[in-house]
Amino acid sequence: MDDGKPSGPRTKWWSRPSTDRDRPAGPEEDGAAATGVADASGTAPAGPGGTTGPTAGERLPHTTPDGDYTPAPPVAAPPPAADRGTPAPAEPAPPAAEPHVHRTQPLHAPDEYSTPPYGGPGPWAPAPPVQRPVATPAHGTPVPPPYAGTDGHGTAAPPVAAAPAQGGQEHHTDPWPPPHTVPQQHPVPQPPGQTPQQTSQWMRYDPWGAPRQPLSHPGPGQGVDDVRPRKARRGTVLVGAALLALLAGGIGGGVGAYVERNGGLTTVELPQSGRDAGGRAPDSVAGIAASALPGVVTLHVNGSAESGTGTGFVLDDRGHILTNNHVVAPAGSNGDITVTFSGGESAAAEIVGKDSGYDLAVVKVTGVSGLTPLPLGNSDNVRVGDPVVAIGAPFDLSNTVTSGIISAKERPITAGGEKGDGTDVSYVDALQTDAPINPGNSGGPLVDAEARVIGINSAIRAADSGSGLDGGQSGSIGLGFAIPINQGKRVAEELISTGKATHPVIGVTLDMEFTGDGAKVGGKAAGGASAVTEGGPADKAGIRSGDIITEVEGQRVHSGEELIVKIRAHRPGDRLGLVLTRGGKELSMTLTLGSASGT
């Protein structure tokens, strides 16, 4: 369609003018542009349509005889400068202007509406602004011609002043041929050294710009000048991170120290039941111990040669205390005995009486009130398997309570005999218990379920030294022996009343070397006298020398020691039934026990 357009001939591609209007004008060029006349080099003034002829030094296409144009040979571009900050070497002055030569004119006049692509932009379609190419930047990346002369975002970069040429005049070079520019009807003069700012949106797209940049973000390009501020910001970030790490470390260390010293950030409270009234059943071990402990004491004995520790219990409110003879034996005739009660009070004590045959002794404390005597039970009522509690001071650990049962009754044991003459040997028809008894428990009470005393703890069977009162130091192996309280009561009453105890006897001398079954009456006594005491209980019953006694009150007797134990389990004056063997015949007889003074 040619509506609205001139009907004259159209320009062809070879008639498109090329100017240098986009370059920064020098001082000489400014004057020519302002007056609109040709300069001294013979440049033609602007023709119709605002176009200008070729200027001095401009490369023109070669004309062929047929009127066509051939492009001029390319001119090598000067090498780029090594650094943007290094001035380029001065170029020689341009050659003198060529004389004006007649050139073939186009066949038609230029389009006065400047319709693309034949001329300038028309009134309905503004052409995109033209950009100038520049030399390769210092980074070594060539910039395509469409974006040369800008900062990579479409904004024109400030011009770089060229080095002055010889003769003191500046010479501007253009390594690339200037693209086609649209002639202006009324050129606007620009101040010297400035380039007009182009703000069109077409200039803001930069396909060679830095990654992750907004497509329409104008601003300075990323060059050498951006490195230093970025390093400064990075240093600030590193310093801030270091300070934050130090602060966090200090806080963490403080919290850790607090947790280590205080066991946590909060106080831990575990669930726990409240306090009870403290009452226990009377027949429980705790109830028995609570009832019996106030009447149990610990004895510390110091003599001229030895010392020892034992246990005792209060018999009455007058201060009489029952214990073992071997406990107070180290004191001798002038030793010291100290009694310590369960509450911690202490008092001096003296010996009232003792008997080595029964291994019992009574001491008395004076000036002490509030005593708690222990009730005495009946050892004849004890049955095997009954629960019992032993209280004492094993290895001087006072108020120690252990429990067990009655393991056996009427265990004939002998203890002592260190003197060798038999005067210190004890014969006990004992109660056996598995309640732990250790050295220091001697003389302490063995009580039943009603906290009544049924025995006096006297001996243990030790694994290393056999049987004996406090024999051995290896501790309890579950074989403890106690003197029945019935025997202890009788002996204690005699010791308190007379200071001595009486022993029941049958009036015979036994053959302790006999190895057969039973107790054999000896042939002769010491000094050649008869083994059967004349007028004694045995003589009156008809016992003769050589008879072998096999039973006492229906219980078998296997040795002379067992016969003594069985007899001493009774009181003087008791009637005993015996079974004996004489000449291979078994005989039965009855006798009344006599009495002998103890030692």
Side-chain angles (χ1 to χ4, degrees):
M1 299 290 294
D2 295 333
D3 294 342
K5 297 183 181 179
S7 59
R10 298 181 180 178
T11 59
K12 294 188 178 182
W13 286 106
W14 57 79
S15 65
R16 208 162 93 183
S18 175
T19 63
D20 237 359
R21 294 180 63 252
D22 289 340
R23 289 189 304 169
E28 296 83 3
E29 295 174 351
D30 290 343
T35 58
V37 297
D39 56 13
S41 61
T43 303
T51 60
T52 61
T55 59
E58 181 178 2
R59 293 180 297 274
L60 298 175
H62 298 279
T63 307
T64 60
D66 59 357
D68 291 337
Y69 291 94
T70 60
V75 181
D83 192 354
R84 188 180 299 273
T86 305
E91 297 181 359
E98 296 178 1
H100 180 72
V101 180
H102 176 75
R103 295 176 176 82
T104 304
Q105 296 296 326
L107 299 179
H108 55 80
D111 184 5
E112 61 178 322
Y113 293 102
S114 300
T115 304
Y118 308 107
W124 57 85
V130 180
Q131 303 179 25
R132 288 170 50 81
V134 296
T136 302
H139 298 290
T141 303
V143 181
Y147 291 89
T150 66
D151 57 1
H153 298 277
T155 304
V160 180
Q166 294 180 359
Q169 295 182 354
E170 295 182 357
H171 179 74
H172 297 276
T173 61
D174 192 355
W176 295 84
H180 171 73
T181 58
V182 179
Q184 296 183 2
Q185 297 293 337
H186 302 283
V188 180
Q190 296 292 337
Q194 293 185 3
T195 303
Q197 297 293 330
Q198 301 177 6
T199 59
S200 172
Q201 293 296 329
W202 288 89
M203 311 253 323
R204 296 185 181 182
Y205 174 69
D206 183 8
W208 292 277
R212 296 185 299 277
Q213 291 285 344
L215 293 179
S216 61
H217 175 69
Q222 296 180 356
V224 179
D225 297 339
D226 294 339
V227 177
R228 293 181 181 177
R230 189 170 298 171
K231 288 183 178 180
R233 289 193 298 272
R234 186 180 303 171
T236 304
V237 171
L238 292 177
V239 171
L243 293 178
L244 181 60
L246 290 176
L247 180 60
I251 295 176
V255 172
Y258 177 83
V259 170
E260 182 179 0
R261 288 195 301 267
N262 298 277
L265 297 177
T266 59
T267 301
V268 177
E269 294 185 2
L270 301 177
Q272 184 182 21
S273 61
R275 295 175 61 90
D276 58 13
R280 295 293 183 272
D283 57 347
S284 65
V285 175
I288 295 170
S291 178
L293 275 172
V296 181
V297 299
T298 302
L299 285 78
H300 296 89
V301 181
N302 295 308
S304 57
E306 55 182 337
S307 62
T309 301
T311 308
F313 58 94
V314 179
L315 291 173
D316 54 31
D317 54 3
R318 293 182 295 173
H320 291 104
I321 297 171
L322 181 62
T323 186
N324 283 134
N325 177 68
H326 71 266
V327 171
V328 297
S333 58
N334 57 1
D336 297 330
I337 300 174
T338 302
V339 175
T340 302
F341 296 89
S342 62
E345 302 86 356
S346 297
E350 58 182 9
I351 298 175
V352 174
K354 59 183 181 177
D355 187 271
S356 60
Y358 289 111
D359 193 24
L360 291 174
V362 175
V363 299
K364 183 179 181 181
V365 293
T366 57
V368 178
S369 60
L371 299 176
T372 305
L374 291 184
L376 304 180
N378 190 334
S379 56
D380 292 340
N381 298 332
V382 175
R383 298 293 182 266
V384 175
D386 286 348
V388 291
V389 174
I391 304 176
F395 300 101
D396 202 16
L397 299 173
S398 60
N399 301 327
T400 297
V401 177
T402 58
S403 64
I405 61 170
I406 295 296
S407 302
K409 293 176 62 176
E410 300 175 349
R411 290 290 193 192
I413 63 171
T414 59
E418 286 81 3
K419 293 182 179 180
D421 56 2
T423 58
D424 61 339
V425 177
S426 301
Y427 298 91
V428 180
D429 193 20
L431 298 172
Q432 180 182 332
T433 180
D434 66 348
I437 296 174
N438 294 282
N441 276 106
S442 296
L446 183 69
V447 300
D448 61 9
E450 298 182 14
R452 297 174 301 187
V453 179
I454 60 174
I456 301 101
N457 301 318
S458 299
I460 61 173
R461 177 76 181 189
D464 60 347
S465 61
S467 63
L469 296 176
D470 274 351
Q473 296 292 319
S474 63
S476 174
I477 59 173
L479 296 174
F481 302 96
I483 301 172
I485 192 60
N486 289 3
Q487 182 176 341
K489 177 180 178 296
R490 181 183 66 83
V491 173
E493 291 172 347
E494 292 180 351
L495 293 176
I496 293 172
S497 300
T498 63
K500 290 185 179 294
T502 58
H503 298 171
V505 296
I506 62 175
V508 298
T509 302
L510 298 177
D511 183 4
M512 304 304 292
E513 302 296 329
F514 178 68
T515 58
D517 187 24
K520 183 180 182 180
V521 179
K524 294 291 182 180
S530 174
V532 178
T533 303
E534 186 179 352
D539 186 31
K540 294 178 180 180
I543 297 174
R544 301 175 185 179
S545 295
D547 290 346
I548 299 174
I549 302 174
T550 57
E551 288 185 14
V552 175
E553 291 292 317
Q555 295 179 350
R556 291 288 299 180
V557 174
H558 302 284
S559 64
E561 288 83 0
E562 287 190 20
L563 178 61
I564 297 173
V565 168
K566 297 301 181 182
I567 291 173
R568 289 193 177 182
H570 297 81
R571 294 172 178 271
D574 291 346
R575 293 179 62 86
L576 296 180
L578 303 176
V579 175
L580 53 87
T581 302
R582 181 185 296 167
K585 295 181 180 180
E586 188 176 275
L587 302 174
S588 297
M589 58 185 64
T590 301
L591 59 77
T592 299
L593 294 175
S595 178
S597 178
T599 58

